[in-house]
Amino acid sequence: MIAVFVIGATLGLGLWLLLLGLRPPRRPLADRLADFHEGRAPATDAPSLLRGTWTGLALRLFRAVRSEGIDEVIADAEVAGTSLDMHVTDKLNAGLGGAVLSVVLGRLVGVAGGPVGLVVVALIGFVVCYFLPDVELRSRSTARRQEFDRALTGFVSLVAVSMAGGGGINTAMADAAAIGHGWTFELLGRCLDEAALVGEPPWAAMERAGRRLGLTHLVELSGSVGLAGASGARITESLQARAEADRSREIAETSARAEARSESMNVPIAALLLGWFGFMGYPAVANLVGAG
């Protein structure tokens, strides 16, 4: 009875750690706003110290496992709306949860009988589940970059329309960033504010943000606008051409995805037809076999 209780409790703990690593809870808005408060006192309570120690352990493990490409992970985490600390903590939680689940399931199935087998099964479960958050982060960052590209097309169109009406490049970009909503326009607005504070062209700040976050289309847009020079007419023509090219690209990508989904529908239809023919032809085949 006690062994069953221990196995059930361990299995529940493993499931909880695995879910916590794959689907971490969102931080409260009050905590996020408190991060920007200058007079915030350092956290010295026990839970905060425990979280800091756990995050530090997760960071050291992450840097030991992946010494290269950390900047790419940081960019993916920022684009996905999280941070490197949260991501590596989720990885460690998922790995430990996978290790506990692997040991419990190995004991139940009978695969891991001795201590060596338990250690091997735990390591396999840890490694497999440790890298699962990376797949999710890559998927989320890719989707967010595609969302950014679509919103950037609308931003460029707004800027081109405003400049064609006689507005300046800085005013047109500021108005376009203020009109839109979402993280794309917030990022563009921060780039414009940074450029205004430093006293540099807005596309220079956009190019830095694009290279830091891996936003290829933003880097290309900044380069094309920068090559257009300071002439308002040339910049307007460059933005209009860029907007037309982006719209054509999005139409082509949407058509390709629609065609791919249409073709994928042929598989279940063919399976249904095959099953229907088999169902209808089975009595005749059974009669022939029985008669023979």
Side-chain angles (χ1 to χ4, degrees), residues 1-11 104 107-108:
M1 184 65 182
I2 297 178
V4 175
F5 176 76
V6 172
I7 292 176
T10 308
L11 182 62
V104 173
R107 292 287 294 178
L108 292 177

Side-chain angles (χ1 to χ4, degrees), residues 15 60 78 204:
L15 285 172
R60 287 192 291 270
E78 186 173 351

Side-chain angles (χ1 to χ4, degrees), residues 24 60 97 108 125 131 133 149 164 181 199 204 264 272 292:
R60 287 192 291 270
L108 292 177
F131 290 100
D149 294 340
H181 300 281
S264 64
L272 287 174

